[in-house]
Amino acid sequence: MNSRGMWLAYLLGIGLLHVILLSIPFVSVSVVWTLTNLIHNMCMYLLLHTVKGTPFETPDQGKARLLTHWEQMDYGVQFTASRKFLTITPIILYILTSFYTKYDGVHFIINTFSLLSVLIPKMPQLHGVR
Amino acid sequence: YQYLLITGIYVLEPWEKSIFNTVLFTMVAMVVYTSYVFV
Amino acid sequence: SHIVGHNAVLYNKPFVESFEETPLLVAVLTYMGYGILTLFGYLRDFLRHWKIEKCRVASERDEQKDFVPLYQDFENFYTRNLYMRIRDNWNRPICSVPGAKMDVVERVTHDYNWTFEHTGTVLKNVINMGSYNYLGFAENTGPCADSAAEATVKYGVGVSGTRHEIGNLDKHEELEKLVARFLGVESSMAFGMGFATNSMNIPSLAGKGCLTLSDELNHASLVLGARLSGSTIRVFKHNNMQSLEKLLRDAIVHGQPRTHRPWKKIVILVEGIYSMEGSIVRLPEVIALKKKYKAYLYLDEAHSIGALGPRGRGVVDYFGVDPHDVDIMMGTFTKSFGASGGYIGGKKELIDYLRTHSHSAIYATSMSPPVAQQIITSMKCIMGEDGTTLGQERLRQLSENTTYFRRRLHEMGFIIYGNENSPVVPLMLYMPAKIGAFGREMLKRNIGIVVVGFPATPIIESRARFCVSAAHTKDMLDTALNAISEVGDLLQLKYSRRTRL
């Protein structure tokens, strides 16, 4: 996750997702932002906190097989640059979404639960917890 | 050829390429249309 | 490009190594490509799961579902959704010696590489830029082949015993004496398999309470040997002496974890030439560090023995350092001698110890006599003991070919990695589709090459890897270079931003 260009590709991916959602003619801006937030957090939750193991064989005799991607990152070391970056991004997206949905109650609740679903698994206390 | 190589769909089967091109074309059309309306 | 500074005073020649960074746009497009292919991979898995598409991958029968799964489903994801699509570039059958030119058996697939059929046609005289054949001893004529044939008639092909029992032949002892002389060490021992030479001997040399400092790009056999030994393993950045020295200092200062007892022994594991990077180890600096911190040095010369140095004695000869400064000299006979197997050289007491304790000596059948004879003949040729200057000529030819090939690729604008004197030349491709396209386009032009992608390399560093040989004539190299340039233009691979020579 910290190889060259990965963070830029990730941010561009979020931007592209937002532009595509924005291009759906009959959807309002608030809904677009909430959809961006929800889809981003869902993909992040699936890829970082649900799928376990590696999509290819590793020479570590299956040690990584039971770990999620987030737990495998940087060999399990906490508070690395990549981890901080991947923690901050959903928060910034959440703040932007709240602003653009004009702090509407329903949107706020949906976005908050979505944000918590990707923040809670990132806490160091939950490393390896099932 | 460059489009196939850079998107990676060079290695896909023809029907998968069709799916990808359809989705991509639809999105580009939507973006162009909405931009036009917006502008 | 990051050419790390180094202690020039330790070197007897300029040490030029470069790893130009991936252009940012190319890196982002590479991630995008892998993202798209992963999405389609999930789509295909979905179709297979709901039986919409026939599943061709090995999987348990329904009756076995309740047992522990034999096949890790997700670990196969890349194999079945990415590698399968371009695997016609790998494991190509050949029907000749893997020499400068070879004959490739043509095959065709009607189901997108899930199965292949031979068409019966043979692609003749394909220029071989993929095999490890540095000195061109992969040939079925000449003194090596003749002497190997004699040895086959005299000894037979197989030895049905281990070195501890009836499998200890005079041919082996002759080979080991010659290898010791070739390396300039007291004694040596030969093993029938290169990989096993590492994985079966390191456990005899290190164990609990020992520390192994391993380069991050070490070969799988070194990694396996270090793991089997039970020693503590710490990894330093590739060929980075600052990183190695930091680990050494920490190891000396802090000792073993928890008890802080001093380490029984510290072994530094490095390779002479890293065959995926094309880089050469900074041996003078490694030796300086091992002397300073009283560590042991295990040098794996799988690729560098026979291919480097004015006398072909490997990276020790290349830098002109004393072979006795390297505690354990390991190498293989596969790449430069047209044979197979490996050796370990060093002090006599070390080798005697290995003879009694090495897993290979106790359990593995010993090296086949014709192979031993092939090594003896080719090694004598390199040493000039066969009365000809063929060996010296091939060494010089390899060095010239390497320099020429690297310089031309550089001039064309490709990004190539590694040391300017390394006969292994990685050319960067980056995007996943270009891996498949490059291999196919080159075979169309009658050039056989090797391509490597994720996960064998970092995700944004897929590459083609050329192995230069002394057997390549200038015409062959020019033919290959022209084809590479043509395909490079077609696929837009000339990414280098460095000033062209």
Side-chain angles (χ1 to χ4, degrees), chain C residues 260-272:
Chain C
H260 295 290
R261 279 200 204 99
W263 294 101
K264 287 181 193 162
K265 68 179 91 154
I266 298 174
V267 183
I268 300 169
L269 293 186
V270 289
E271 288 184 41

Side-chain angles (χ1 to χ4, degrees), chain C residues 269-299:
Chain C
L269 293 186
V270 289
E271 288 184 41
I273 287 183
Y274 287 87
S275 63
M276 206 50 87
E277 302 302 306
S279 52
I280 295 177
V281 67
R282 297 172 188 280
L283 191 61
E285 295 183 66
V286 175
I287 288 176
L289 284 175
K290 82 157 252 233
K291 287 178 174 174
K292 181 177 176 184
Y293 294 99
K294 308 283 183 295
Y296 293 101
L297 177 56
Y298 184 109
L299 176 64

Side-chain angles (χ1 to χ4, degrees), chain A residues 51-70:
Chain A
V51 173
K52 291 185 185 65
T54 52
F56 46 82
E57 301 223 353
T58 49
D60 63 358
Q61 285 91 28
K63 207 178 297 168
R65 199 170 287 160
L66 301 177
L67 297 177
T68 62
H69 191 166
W70 177 261

Side-chain angles (χ1 to χ4, degrees), chain C residues 318-390:
Chain C
Y318 174 74
F319 286 115
V321 296
D322 180 1
H324 295 97
D325 286 338
V326 181
D327 300 286
I328 302 136
M329 299 267 275
M330 179 270 168
T332 62
F333 303 116
T334 321
K335 288 85 179 179
S336 291
F337 302 90
S340 67
Y343 67 83
I344 285 193
K347 289 201 173 14
K348 183 156 180 6
E349 55 187 328
L350 167 75
I351 302 303
D352 291 347
Y353 172 80
L354 279 181
R355 279 192 208 288
T356 51
H357 290 77
S358 163
H359 187 289
S360 281
I362 299 167
Y363 298 108
T365 51
S366 38
M367 182 186 278
S368 164
V371 173
Q373 184 57 53
Q374 161 83 20
I375 299 163
I376 290 169
T377 314
S378 53
M379 196 169 271
K380 283 185 174 168
C381 179
I382 296 171
M383 296 165 85
E385 292 184 1
D386 62 342
T388 71
T389 58
L390 180 65

Side-chain angles (χ1 to χ4, degrees), chain B residues 1 10-12 14-15 19-20 22 24 28 37:
Chain B
Y1 199 31
Y10 165 87
V11 305
L12 297 182
W15 63 272
I19 290 178
F20 179 81
T22 309
L24 184 67
V28 169
V37 167

Side-chain angles (χ1 to χ4, degrees), chain C residues 65-169:
Chain C
K65 288 292 182 211
D66 299 332
F67 291 94
V68 172
L70 284 177
Y71 303 96
Q72 287 305 328
D73 185 41
F74 187 57
E75 254 175 27
N76 227 334
F77 183 89
Y78 262 75
T79 304
R80 67 174 174 266
N81 293 312
L82 224 83
Y83 170 69
M84 268 309 163
R85 298 175 188 275
I86 55 177
R87 75 167 178 157
D88 53 297
N89 288 288
W90 285 275
N91 307 312
R92 286 174 174 154
I94 67 173
C95 49
S96 70
V97 284
K101 291 199 170 187
M102 61 185 171
D103 301 338
V104 178
V105 177
E106 189 183 51
R107 56 184 185 176
V108 71
T109 176
H110 304 295
D111 51 8
Y112 301 104
N113 294 341
W114 283 98
T115 60
F116 291 100
E117 284 168 20
H118 289 319
T119 60
T121 315
V122 172
L123 306 176
K124 289 282 185 188
N125 290 326
V126 175
I127 296 179
N128 181 3
M129 298 301 295
S131 294
Y132 299 137
N133 176 29
Y134 299 128
L135 292 180
F137 283 111
E139 47 195 3
N140 54 9
T141 56
C144 294
D146 300 341
S147 60
E150 280 163 35
T152 307
V153 171
K154 184 178 175 190
Y155 290 88
V157 177
V159 181
S160 330
T162 69
R163 295 299 300 274
H164 276 212
E165 294 157 10
I166 59 170
N168 197 28
L169 306 181

Side-chain angles (χ1 to χ4, degrees), chain C residues 163-181:
Chain C
R163 295 299 300 274
H164 276 212
E165 294 157 10
I166 59 170
N168 197 28
L169 306 181
D170 57 346
K171 191 57 73 180
H172 296 134
E173 294 185 1
E174 179 191 350
L175 169 63
E176 288 169 349
K177 287 190 180 70
L178 181 66
V179 169
R181 252 183 331 112

